[in-house]
Amino acid sequence: MKLRTVVAQNLRRMRHIKGMSQEELAAQAGLYRTYVGRLEREVHSPTVDMLEKLAEILDIAPTDFFIDPPPPIPEAPARKRKRS
C-alpha cells in the first residue's frame, strides 16, 4: 500500500475516533476544511510539520499515521440534520 494511502486512512480513522469533523480539525489546525478533505482523499500529501501539528491536535504520536495496514475506520456518529 502506498504511504500516502496509509497516512490518509489513518488521519481519517484518528479523526473519527476523536469524534471530530473535518471542520473542527481544520479550525484547530488553522487550515481550510477542504485541505483536510484533500489529505484524507490522497489529493495532497501533508508535510512532516503538518503531521506533527495534526498529531498534537488528535493527541497521538506522529508515527501513528504510518501504521500499516491501518485498522478499520469506525462508524461515524450520526449527524443531526438542520431544519429549514
Side-chain angles (χ1 to χ4, degrees):
M1 184 179 303
K2 291 175 115 179
L3 192 54
R4 182 187 292 202
T5 302
V6 172
V7 170
Q9 289 179 359
N10 279 316
L11 173 58
R12 175 173 279 167
R13 183 178 62 82
M14 303 292 185
R15 181 177 59 76
H16 279 248
I17 288 171
K18 296 297 180 179
M20 298 179 79
S21 66
Q22 288 181 348
E23 292 86 0
E24 292 167 326
L25 180 58
Q28 289 187 36
L31 304 169
Y32 291 106
R33 183 209 50 84
T34 54
Y35 180 71
V36 172
R38 289 177 180 148
L39 292 176
E40 291 182 357
R41 289 190 323 276
E42 305 173 49
V43 175
H44 290 297
S45 297
T47 64
V48 172
D49 290 338
M50 182 55 60
L51 288 175
E52 286 180 332
K53 180 184 263 189
L54 294 170
E56 183 177 328
I57 293 166
L58 294 168
D59 194 30
I60 60 171
T63 55
D64 289 348
F65 288 118
F66 300 99
I67 297 170
D68 184 20
I73 297 172
E75 291 293 320
R79 293 185 181 182
K80 294 180 182 178
R81 294 184 182 232
K82 293 181 181 179
R83 296 182 183 216
S84 33

